[in-house]
Amino acid sequence: MEYDIHDITLADEGLARIHWAFREMPVLGQLMERFTQSQPLKNIRVAGCLHITTETANLALALKAAGAEVRLCASNPLSTQDDVAAALVQHHGIPVFAIRGEDNDTYYRHINSVLDSRPQITLDDGGDLVSEIHRNRADLLKEVIGGCEETTTGVIRLRAMAKEGALKYPMMAVNDAMTKHLFDNRYGTGQSALDGIIRATNILLAGKVFTVVGYGWCGRGIAMRAKGLGANVVVTEVEPLRALEAAMDGYRVMPLVEAAAISDFIITATGDKNVIDQPHLNVMKDGCVLSNSGHFNVEINIPALEAMAREKHRPRPHIEEYRLKDGRTLCLLAEGRLVNLAAAEGHPSSVMDMSFSGQALCVVHLVENTQTLHPDLYPVPEVIDQEIASLKLSAMGISIDALTGEQRQYLTSWREGT
Ligand code: ADE
């Protein structure tokens, strides 16, 4: 079996952590049992470009249990958990091509090693598989049935491709499922981004000015958790509705250039480029800690920061301390890559349980509906969302009420009034 990982001797450690994560993934566990019986992915070749974590390992095992032949590479050079990669290779015979800290060339070589298996299904977190197939491996297109995209950034890229008519196979926007972004983006990023900042810095957040750039679902989660830790939270936004929501949620809202001057921490959660740029860097408070929770390391203008610096130090893992020519010091976490996966372990298993159950059910949906799906970006069918929510509630021991017949009828009629 081909693979390229850091150290196979880490396999037992990885296996124990994969089992630990599985305890918090009951929905995926139930799907796995069902798929083991029904084999809906028998002999289907699946390629995943995902963060190589304990949760992704459990998704890969669920797909394998369904009959698929799975290969994995990393969707970010800094997010791979090397012990997990080793466990998948050694204990489960799943080819993995991912090494934490790999350089850009290795990252793309690994993507191509996964594509060499001629996948019929692609699983992306950020769109790099889709992009590589469309740009450089178009010969593979004829065998692809479809693909799934996990994150907001990837869905934005796919929407642009579909609009231009450039998308050549059906893709499911898993990120847009309710059971994904309402929980993973909000509670997952909320907890794991703070976890990354705290593990990296060990600085008390209570009483600090903590600015969240972008008030999408990730930004909402980060702001909520930072507030819970006693930080004085500022939100910056470009969309009036979201800015208004942030203000009414109780945060101070102001332009980033004003926030930069008073912040102890700034975190980006926008999916856009150079959000923290030269004018902001120019006015930042001495000692300000910068981090990013968006998919790509483009949200902070790092070349501008490098150009302003006199010297650079690494006081702790995951912190780069830039001593600037004007005497100030700015601290960058995790090289501006997603702080939750680079400095911590990504989202907790319990939210990934829902996100990855969505992935697994969407893969089956693609395989079962090949005849009717065309090259386009598709929403996750509502029945899949409903099923995941119901299974999660029941796994949490929560039961809910049901409408009576009279109530159901009332909601579909218009004749009854005051
Ligand atoms: N994205 C964010 N957190 C993750 C995790 N724990 N595993 C895989 N992908 C993730």
Side-chain angles (χ1 to χ4, degrees):
M1 184 178 87
E2 268 186 276
Y3 62 87
D4 191 18
I5 60 169
H6 173 58
D7 182 358
I8 197 77
T9 67
L10 300 173
D12 288 352
E13 205 178 299
L15 189 68
R17 293 202 314 111
I18 292 168
H19 288 156
W20 175 255
F22 189 64
R23 290 162 41 126
E24 286 279 300
M25 303 182 83
V27 179
L28 194 66
Q30 283 196 44
L31 295 181
M32 200 189 280
E33 271 174 33
R34 191 201 298 171
F35 293 163
T36 303
Q37 298 301 318
S38 57
Q39 293 290 290
L41 304 177
K42 185 119 193 92
N43 299 329
I44 298 286
R45 296 186 299 280
V46 177
C49 179
L50 301 166
H51 301 295
I52 307 299
T53 64
T54 52
E55 292 76 24
T56 300
N58 283 310
L59 170 62
L61 296 178
L63 298 172
K64 190 173 176 214
E69 293 167 22
V70 185
R71 266 188 181 212
L72 294 176
C73 61
S75 59
N76 187 293
L78 272 190
S79 61
T80 298
Q81 298 172 2
D82 290 319
D83 59 339
V84 170
L88 286 172
V89 169
Q90 172 97 340
H91 295 292
H92 295 289
I94 293 179
V96 180
F97 301 82
I99 298 172
R100 187 181 178 86
E102 63 197 10
D103 61 23
N104 220 43
D105 287 349
T106 312
Y107 179 79
Y108 277 98
R109 183 162 50 77
H110 284 160
I111 286 183
N112 278 285
S113 299
V114 159
L115 291 180
D116 288 344
S117 66
R118 296 183 293 108
Q120 293 161 292
I121 296 284
T122 62
L123 304 182
D124 258 312
D125 189 328
D128 283 341
L129 276 186
V130 166
S131 172
E132 189 66 10
I133 291 178
H134 282 73
R135 277 198 271 189
N136 300 319
R137 303 285 304 260
D139 56 303
L140 299 175
L141 283 168
K142 54 184 181 303
E143 291 189 77
V144 181
I145 295 169
C148 296
E149 173 51 57
E150 169 78 2
T151 199
T152 316
T153 301
V155 169
I156 290 170
R157 274 171 138 187
L158 289 169
R159 204 160 277 134
M161 285 177 81
K163 197 166 163 209
E164 272 183 28
L167 186 61
K168 300 295 182 212
Y169 59 84
M171 288 292 305
M172 308 292 300
V174 173
N175 176 73
D176 296 354
M178 296 291 197
T179 48
K180 201 280 180 179
H181 67 268
L182 288 183
F183 303 93
D184 170 314
N185 300 29
R186 180 168 38 171
Y187 302 117
T189 310
Q191 180 163 324
S192 64
L194 268 299
D195 186 12
I197 293 170
I198 291 167
R199 286 197 209 192
T201 63
N202 196 26
I203 296 178
L204 183 77
L205 291 189
K208 299 290 192 320
V209 177
F210 187 104
T211 293
V212 181
V213 185
Y215 204 62
W217 289 107
C218 295
R220 288 177 178 106
I222 297 169
M224 177 174 39
R225 293 301 179 237
K227 186 177 181 177
L229 285 164
N232 179 342
V233 178
V234 172
V235 170
T236 75
E237 242 305 335
V238 292
E239 286 195 11
L241 265 175
R242 286 183 176 178
L244 184 60
E245 188 185 349
M248 294 216 183
D249 284 346
Y251 304 111
R252 281 194 287 165
V253 177
M254 63 184 78
L256 180 54
V257 76
E258 285 174 30
I262 57 168
S263 297
D264 301 296
F265 290 86
I266 307 180
I267 181 165
T268 50
T270 71
D272 212 339
K273 195 176 168 179
N274 291 342
V275 174
I276 293 184
D277 211 345
Q278 188 78 58
H280 314 111
L281 295 169
N282 285 345
V283 297
M284 274 174 199
K285 227 170 110 171
D286 184 35
C288 183
V289 176
L290 305 175
S291 59
N292 165 49
S293 77
H295 186 79
F296 290 114
N297 59 336
V298 295
E299 307 210 9
I300 302 170
N301 187 344
I302 298 173
L305 182 57
E306 295 271 350
M308 291 167 77
R310 176 166 52 81
E311 53 188 16
K312 202 161 89 171
H313 293 272
R314 177 163 272 236
R316 290 165 60 99
H318 311 301
I319 306 182
E320 229 72 64
E321 206 177 53
Y322 288 82
R323 306 237 168 102
L324 306 190
K325 292 169 192 156
D326 63 16
R328 288 175 303 143
T329 297
L330 298 179
C331 303
L332 178 66
L333 303 190
E335 301 166 24
R337 296 193 188 273
L338 6 79
V339 70
N340 62 337
L341 280 141
E345 293 169 65
H347 300 349
S349 317
S350 182
V351 285
M352 296 314 295
D353 184 30
M354 291 190 279
S355 314
F356 282 167
S357 293
Q359 289 275 5
L361 288 168
C362 283
V363 173
V364 173
H365 176 78
L366 284 166
V367 170
E368 287 176 350
N369 294 279
T370 333
Q371 303 308 326
T372 51
L373 296 169
H374 307 287
D376 207 346
L377 181 61
Y378 289 90
V380 173
E382 206 184 315
V383 286
I384 290 185
D385 247 343
Q386 295 291 350
E387 180 180 8
I388 295 170
S390 300
L391 289 174
K392 190 70 176 176
L393 279 171
S394 118
M396 292 168 79
I398 298 171
S399 49
I400 58 172
D401 295 318
L403 294 174
T404 62
E406 181 193 33
Q407 288 170 330
R408 215 170 307 118
Q409 199 193 336
Y410 180 79
L411 291 177
T412 55
S413 66
W414 53 273
R415 286 193 171 80
E416 276 184 66
T418 314

